[in-house]
Amino acid sequence: MLIPVVRMHPVRSAFLLCAGMLASLLAVAEPARPNIVLILADDVALMDFSAYGGEAHTPNIDALAEQGVLFANFHTTPMCAPSRAMLLTGMDNHLTGVATIPEVLPPEHRGQPGYSMYLEPGVETIAARLQPLGYRTLMTGKWHLGHGPGQLPNHHGFERSFVLDASGADNWEQRPYLPFYRTAPWFEDGEPATLPEDFYSSAFIVDQMLEYIEDLQPAQQPFLAYLAFQAVHIPVQAPREFSDNYRGVYDDGWQALRTARWQRARDRGLVPPDAPLAAMHPALADWDGLDATERQLFSRRMEVNAGMIEAMDHHIGRLIAYLRERDLYDNTLFVVTSDNGPEAADPADSALMRLWLQLVGYDATSIDTLGEAGSYGFIGPAWASAAASPSDLFKFYSGQGGLRVPLIISGPGIVPNSLQPAFSVAADIAPTLLELVQQPVAEVMTGRSLLPLLRGETGRVYPPDAAVGIETAGNAALFRGDYKLVRNLAPWGDGEWKLYHLATDPGETRDLARAEPALLAQMQQEYADYARRVGVLDMPPGYESLQQLQANSLRVMAANYWLFLLGCITVLLLLSVILWRILKSIKTRRT
């Protein structure tokens, strides 16, 4: 059979040839989409990284800051899971289903819209949005957005994941850190997982990510790598070789640290030169009133805290070195931030926590082993207040110390070595990543792209009249231009609305509520509009987050340790009977 030859007109042939060559040239000219490395620290204060003036040595994070943009006015919510939901979705936390954290959820809010404590149906993460574009999506570290059916990362756009679905856990072994949890729930690709014997959280989170990236080689597609570290969440733990680098650094106490960080913040342009520093809360202990042993213990706690930050940076350096070796670094975008400000919780203040720590064998007071396996480290409210400098308050609260955290973005096309003072929030990260890969921002996102700031094209992305609300567990804030409306509940707040001019008073030292009643009323109305729009629920009368945590933990503890508690009750009853008989015998002899 003869196959007919189709002869094409010379002009048409030449046109198609030119079109093909042009298409090939455009394909070659089109820049490859960047890899994205999203690094989330836990409870890291604005000035904890040395790039911001902190004491911890973080040379790898500092190098990223020198190559990119260091944000001075970035805000999250004051709690971990709501901030993570905003970061991953670009939406206000109430619209995602993660209005607060399950540990402090009051019974009245359970099951209400926005309070499911997991990403609700239809809520898409940045991973889910990048997957259709050819991205390989990977995650290691803390998830804390639910582990029921359909709630883990493998159902939210992550191709590979090894995650902890809890607010925290031990850094040396697979064990819970609160009586609210029976276990430390780790999962790989949606299935329960067991940690290796040589586990240390920061090392493992990077090791596992390197394994996932290596499995993609040779890289034909871009990847999203989300590393959510446990540093420096309670229990604060670090290898001695890092913690010992800070011997004596904190021996002058928390007030000295708070003042020193405030001075460095002014020198670095993080606050105006004449910005006042708020006094530490009057309920906090006076360093000079401690005895020598107490000072030694408190100093060591901060040394371990700094050591844990340095250990995280060390392992981030291993990731960066790997990307350089594989020729992936130059086309990788890095985002480094924290989920909220420093943690102020002091387990020693709670009888329930003291009992539980003894029950499970945690040691919170041995100075020589603090930070190592079996120890239970924390910094407490006084150090948290110092770490939050130049801001006021800390995690759980909507003072700037709980909301204002570091943000560093570096990579291809970003102006290097620049300080960015523009206001921004956690929900802005996902829209920014979408625009960086030439994709439109989704309409459901409440955040705004920071790309114009990263390219030096504008001085702000929120106009002066834009009202931006934040709320978790009754602690609330509304930002508009240079002003902030804020309410903090007990025990560290009084529940009253206050008004501050952040441009001149970033430490929130001068309440303008009485001086500017019209502005106060206007911003209160704007907050009410925000709360109604996103579905904020009023807190029950007398609500305090720490009391609710204890109540919720007590129920779990009773279920998990009922046999032990029954034994304790039995022993107490027997002792009571014995004591009653002794007293009765004494009374009989006297008569």
Side-chain angles (χ1 to χ4, degrees), residues 223-380:
F223 62 81
L224 165 69
Y226 173 35
L227 298 94
F229 288 89
Q230 291 175 232
V232 282
H233 196 284
I234 291 176
V236 179
Q237 299 165 319
R240 183 178 290 273
E241 60 263 30
F242 296 107
S243 300
D244 283 353
N245 292 335
Y246 304 94
R247 290 285 188 183
V249 170
Y250 300 100
D251 286 356
D252 290 338
W254 34 70
Q255 183 59 62
L257 177 66
R258 181 164 172 79
T259 300
R261 286 198 173 189
W262 167 63
Q263 292 170 341
R264 292 197 293 270
R266 294 187 300 174
D267 294 341
R268 291 169 175 264
L270 300 177
V271 297
D274 56 350
L277 177 66
M280 295 183 71
H281 196 283
L284 296 174
D286 181 3
W287 181 262
D288 293 334
L290 305 178
D291 62 35
T293 302
E294 290 173 325
R295 291 186 188 183
Q296 188 180 6
L297 175 60
F298 280 113
S299 293
R300 187 57 179 167
R301 285 173 175 165
M302 275 301 280
E303 291 167 7
V304 175
N305 191 76
M308 193 174 186
I309 294 171
E310 183 183 343
M312 175 180 65
D313 180 84
H314 167 78
H315 293 292
I316 290 171
R318 292 173 46 231
L319 171 65
I320 291 173
Y322 170 89
L323 296 176
R324 290 187 185 277
E325 291 170 3
R326 295 295 190 273
D327 293 325
L328 298 169
Y329 178 84
D330 290 339
N331 192 39
T332 298
L333 174 77
F334 290 88
V335 179
V336 183
T337 188
S338 175
D339 59 351
N340 46 246
E343 171 65 78
D346 184 348
D349 287 343
S350 165
L352 176 65
M353 275 301 298
R354 293 195 299 271
L355 172 64
W356 183 79
L357 290 173
Q358 293 178 353
L359 175 62
V360 299
Y362 265 126
D363 182 356
T365 58
S366 295
I367 297 173
D368 292 341
T369 58
L370 198 62
E372 299 177 11
S375 70
Y376 196 91
F378 57 92
I379 63 173

Side-chain angles (χ1 to χ4, degrees), residues 61 78 86 132 190 246 312 399 418 457 530:
I61 293 173
M86 290 178 69
Y246 304 94
M312 175 180 65
S418 57
E457 298 169 352
Y530 155 78

Side-chain angles (χ1 to χ4, degrees), residues 18 36 93 104 134 208 215 236 256-257 288 333 342 366 370 386 397 400 457 479 490 578:
C18 291
I36 300 170
N93 54 300
V104 301
Q208 198 64 42
D215 288 345
V236 179
L257 177 66
D288 293 334
L333 174 77
S366 295
L370 198 62
Y397 297 92
Q400 287 294 85
E457 298 169 352
F479 297 87
I578 293 171

Side-chain angles (χ1 to χ4, degrees), residues 370-426:
L370 198 62
E372 299 177 11
S375 70
Y376 196 91
F378 57 92
I379 63 173
W383 278 129
S385 179
S389 182
S391 302
D392 190 38
L393 293 180
F394 26 66
K395 179 180 176 179
F396 275 76
Y397 297 92
S398 289
Q400 287 294 85
L403 307 181
R404 191 181 177 196
V405 300
L407 171 65
I408 295 165
I409 303 180
S410 70
I414 294 174
V415 177
N417 199 27
S418 57
L419 179 67
Q420 178 52 252
F423 173 82
S424 54
V425 296

